[in-house]
Amino acid sequence: MTDLTSRKDEALRLIQGASSLAELDEQRVAALGKKGWVSLELKSLGGMSPEERQEAAPAIQAVRGEIADAIAAKKDALEQAELEAQLASETVDLTLPAPESPRGSIHPVSQVMDELAEIFADLGFAVATGPEIEDDWHNFTALNMDESHPARAMHDTFYFPDTAAGAGAASGNEAADPKRMLLRTHTSPVQIRSMVEQGAPIRLIAPGRVYRSDSDATHTPMFHQVEGLVIDRDIHLGHLKWTLETFFKAFFEREDIVLRLRPSYFPFTEPSVEVDVGYSNEGGRRVVGGHGDDDGHDWMELGGSGMVNPRVLEFAGIDPKEWQGFAFGLGIDRIAMLKYGMNDLRAFFDGDPRWLKHYGFSPFDQPTLSAGVGVRP
Ligand code: PHE
């Protein structure tokens, strides 16, 4: 009996002294576990005579109860202490920077479109948009390309099979239907829509997706262009050249940009010029800058442009005797590749997150003229 009491006291002392939940559990196992001493005492009752058992059992049961109660009380106390310690150590330091949460990145095409808007806004240009599903009249006819115009054939147009009245298709004379729908082959129809809607004067850019049935290493069926249109009084080719030069200097962030305007033909501009920029090859990479005829340099075509054809102004309801202007169309994907050093156009549209992680931009890197229009992430 005294033995039982002293073992109990010792157990209670150890339970009281436990400094952690793990230590407390050790004590529980030692006393109440399957092979714990209290359990063994209880088991030993089985080997006693009924009289002996009657005498010994209450004491052992009482010890078991006392120890179980002590463990439960100590457990509460330890848990409470643990919580308090945790609360004390977990004070929030509001002056620390917040942990970075995962976020996506801005596609280089979107980034370059933002850069374009930023630079041209500084030159007083608004941003205009138009539908990607366009009709034949806006995409071709009003741009001085009537049904028989050979330039239409160069556009590899995606037509919708049974749009408008369907009369064109039925009669086998599809091109005659001005409402026949197609995926716009260039951003130039936005010129027409803007002139019809707002009249002169105009100063806008229109970036966006365009579509041609064309696919190889340097052509994808969908790509991006930016259209530029200025309509005002006394506008001449010099304004066009200055505008493009100023834009490219800001965009590529270098002063040594040399443009070459090469005579060309577009039905909607007269005269028409192709815009080439001088570049050099540095370690297998094309770097814009310098005169294309200089040693180690060459010219690269970036787009088309010219003075808006008076016929186009007439189509759009603007009096060509009073107003004139210039227009240009540049390939956004190409200038993005040049500026940021990609060499495969197709990767732009593969949707591979690894490529985007490498070439993408932080959503917080808004291009600004003061901080630089093309900050690397
Ligand atoms: N729309 C023409 C093209 O896609 C480019 C261009 C635009 C040319 C404006 C002249 C003026 O090829």
Side-chain angles (χ1 to χ4, degrees), residues 215-261:
S215 188
D216 59 40
T218 53
H219 296 87
T220 49
M222 184 280 302
F223 58 104
H224 300 83
Q225 287 188 335
V226 58
E227 195 79 8
L229 177 67
V230 169
I231 304 287
D232 214 317
R233 299 174 206 275
D234 307 321
I235 297 293
H236 53 73
L237 213 57
H239 294 118
L240 167 65
K241 186 158 193 248
W242 181 88
T243 303
L244 288 174
E245 227 165 58
T246 303
F247 162 66
F248 282 122
K249 282 180 182 172
F251 180 75
F252 288 112
E253 294 173 279
R254 14 194 333 156
E255 278 303 306
D256 63 344
I257 300 289
V258 183
L259 292 186
R260 179 177 73 176
L261 300 188

Side-chain angles (χ1 to χ4, degrees), residues 155 185-186 188 191 212 225 227 266 268-269 304-306 327-329:
H155 276 234
T185 57
H186 51 176
S188 299
Q191 287 189 37
R212 290 183 202 179
Q225 287 188 335
E227 195 79 8
F266 298 102
F268 35 94
T269 47
S305 65
F328 58 84

Side-chain angles (χ1 to χ4, degrees), residues 32-73:
L32 306 181
K34 245 193 197 155
K35 290 180 179 152
W37 64 269
V38 179
S39 307
L40 294 177
E41 291 281 349
L42 283 167
K43 237 185 237 166
S44 73
L45 293 173
M48 294 178 182
S49 66
E51 297 77 36
E52 282 173 321
R53 194 183 303 140
Q54 215 160 28
E55 202 191 296
I60 299 174
Q61 294 289 8
V63 165
R64 193 173 86 126
E66 232 179 296
I67 290 180
D69 287 350
I71 289 174

Side-chain angles (χ1 to χ4, degrees), residues 203-360:
R203 212 186 284 186
L204 61 82
I205 58 165
R209 280 188 274 272
V210 301
Y211 303 83
R212 290 183 202 179
S213 177
D214 203 355
S215 188
D216 59 40
T218 53
H219 296 87
T220 49
M222 184 280 302
F223 58 104
H224 300 83
Q225 287 188 335
V226 58
E227 195 79 8
L229 177 67
V230 169
I231 304 287
D232 214 317
R233 299 174 206 275
D234 307 321
I235 297 293
H236 53 73
L237 213 57
H239 294 118
L240 167 65
K241 186 158 193 248
W242 181 88
T243 303
L244 288 174
E245 227 165 58
T246 303
F247 162 66
F248 282 122
K249 282 180 182 172
F251 180 75
F252 288 112
E253 294 173 279
R254 14 194 333 156
E255 278 303 306
D256 63 344
I257 300 289
V258 183
L259 292 186
R260 179 177 73 176
L261 300 188
R262 181 164 40 89
S264 183
Y265 173 78
F266 298 102
F268 35 94
T269 47
E270 182 60 36
S272 300
V273 288
E274 219 100 31
V275 183
D276 299 337
V277 66
Y279 74 96
S280 59
N281 241 311
E282 282 169 31
R285 212 190 126 171
R286 290 175 164 191
V287 177
V288 171
H291 197 284
D293 291 338
D294 283 352
D295 266 2
H297 286 67
D298 208 344
W299 297 106
M300 187 184 345
E301 184 205 318
L302 295 182
S305 65
M307 299 306 294
V308 177
N309 191 319
R311 295 197 51 161
V312 172
L313 294 174
E314 269 168 14
F315 267 117
I318 290 178
D319 181 1
K321 287 193 209 67
E322 204 181 330
W323 305 94
Q324 60 286 132
F326 65 79
F328 58 84
L330 305 172
I332 291 184
D333 312 293
R334 180 170 287 192
I335 62 175
M337 289 168 80
L338 261 180
K339 181 167 178 180
Y340 293 115
M342 304 85 165
N343 47 31
D344 188 351
L345 174 66
R346 288 169 298 190
F348 270 60
F349 312 122
D350 276 349
D352 186 335
R354 292 167 301 178
W355 185 88
L356 202 52
K357 200 168 163 47
H358 182 77
Y359 286 111

